[in-house]
Amino acid sequence: MTRLSITSPLAALRFKPTSVATLENECLWGEQFEVDDYQNGFAHGKLSHDGYEGWVDKRSIGQMPDSNARVIALMTHVTRHSDIKSNGLYKLSIGAHVAILDSDKKFTKIATPEGFGFLPSVHLSRKKKIFDDWPGVVERFYGIPYKWGGRSAFGIDCSGLVQICMNLSGHCVPRDSGPQSSIGVALKSVDMLERGDLIFWRGHVGVMLNRKELIHANAYHMAVMSEPLATALKRIEKEVGPITALRRP
């Protein structure tokens, strides 16, 4: 097994080694990918941080220095030079892993497949636990488009939103809503829900902003949106059935 880095801003993780296969997940820049096979221009393996398996285009992986920081801005631009007028090379999402080569107050030099690029220093953090209030990270995604399998500020699904936001707050959780429904402790009723609690339906998860307001990436609004829990309960039960779990992470 060979451990490589994701070298594109996003890398689609697919069920089969073909570009027309359904998107199962996304890998972010700098994440580690453990390769065990190659077929049809794709590499099969798993993400090191959560073990999620699939196929990625082999052009999206390669050798880069180990990361030592993460992007904390919702989106940021990697530029060719340490100048706000410099040409952009890549656009990275919050949560991307980068290898810092040098830094000052304004710009940070990071490793890229071509050598190096620059990011605004304020958009990076070396801390493992970057945010204390993880529902506050979820709120940063408000209005971001819904994308099945998405896991970034360019498009995200319900469980991807939970995973990336909790991870930025120092917690490692599974990628999919099914396994996520076992994290933390169970709650007996919706009357017990508080900020940061999770509510699950078949194939869906949302985050409580307070006792009455829910935020979630959903295909009804096709975006990350907040709405009254009572409104969501009526609509979602008609679509997929009743609540399956209430959890406090």
Side-chain angles (χ1 to χ4, degrees):
M1 184 173 290
T2 303
R3 178 174 290 190
L4 298 172
S5 296
I6 301 299
T7 57
S8 59
L10 292 175
L13 192 65
R14 303 185 187 278
F15 180 67
K16 296 179 180 180
T18 169
S19 59
V20 297
T22 302
L23 178 68
E24 298 291 323
N25 194 10
E26 284 183 324
C27 313
L28 302 182
W29 172 284
E31 289 184 328
Q32 297 293 295
F33 190 72
E34 300 173 16
V35 179
D36 57 27
D37 191 18
Y38 290 94
Q39 286 185 33
N40 195 34
F42 285 78
H44 181 271
K46 62 182 180 182
L47 284 165
S48 297
H49 69 91
D50 65 3
Y52 207 101
E53 294 187 28
W55 295 88
V56 298
D57 190 315
K58 68 179 185 180
R59 295 172 295 184
S60 295
I61 53 177
Q63 296 285 351
M64 280 206 302
D66 290 342
S67 64
N68 53 15
R70 299 187 73 181
V71 172
I72 59 172
L74 196 59
M75 303 177 201
T76 189
H77 293 273
V78 181
T79 55
R80 190 176 302 278
H81 304 291
S82 55
D83 185 332
I84 59 172
K85 297 180 182 179
S86 178
N87 292 331
L89 298 175
Y90 312 100
K91 185 185 289 185
L92 301 184
S93 168
I94 188 172
H97 296 247
V98 301
I100 292 177
L101 303 176
D102 195 10
S103 183
D104 60 33
K105 290 184 178 180
K106 289 187 176 181
F107 287 94
T108 294
K109 186 179 183 180
I110 68 165
T112 70
E114 297 81 14
F116 60 86
F118 293 87
L119 282 172
S121 297
V122 71
H123 288 178
L124 294 172
S125 175
R126 293 178 182 263
K127 297 178 181 179
K128 182 177 181 180
K129 182 180 179 181
I130 300 169
F131 301 102
D132 291 323
D133 178 33
W134 87 268
V137 189
V138 177
E139 290 178 286
R140 290 176 175 230
F141 282 80
Y142 189 90
I144 295 298
Y146 177 83
K147 180 183 180 183
W148 175 269
R151 196 168 147 258
S152 80
F154 309 118
I156 199 161
D157 66 16
C158 63
S159 55
L161 181 66
V162 169
Q163 187 194 45
I164 194 71
C165 293
M166 290 198 72
N167 186 255
L168 287 164
S169 303
H171 306 286
C172 184
V173 301
R175 170 62 176 88
D176 294 331
S177 61
Q180 286 177 1
S181 66
S182 296
I183 65 175
V185 296
L187 301 176
K188 293 182 179 180
S189 73
V190 294
D191 296 331
M192 300 175 67
L193 290 169
E194 297 178 355
R195 181 175 174 83
D197 290 340
L198 300 173
I199 181 167
F200 293 88
W201 295 266
R202 180 171 57 86
H204 189 58
V205 58
V207 182
M208 298 304 297
L209 291 177
N210 51 53
R211 292 177 179 270
K212 296 183 178 181
E213 196 81 5
L214 175 78
I215 187 169
H216 54 151
N218 65 91
Y220 177 79
H221 297 101
M222 288 307 296
V224 178
M225 297 293 287
S226 62
E227 59 181 320
L229 176 61
T231 301
L233 288 175
K234 291 179 181 179
R235 184 184 71 251
I236 298 173
E237 183 169 358
K238 291 180 181 179
E239 295 173 351
V240 300
I243 293 169
T244 57
L246 302 169
R247 307 293 295 190
R248 179 161 295 160

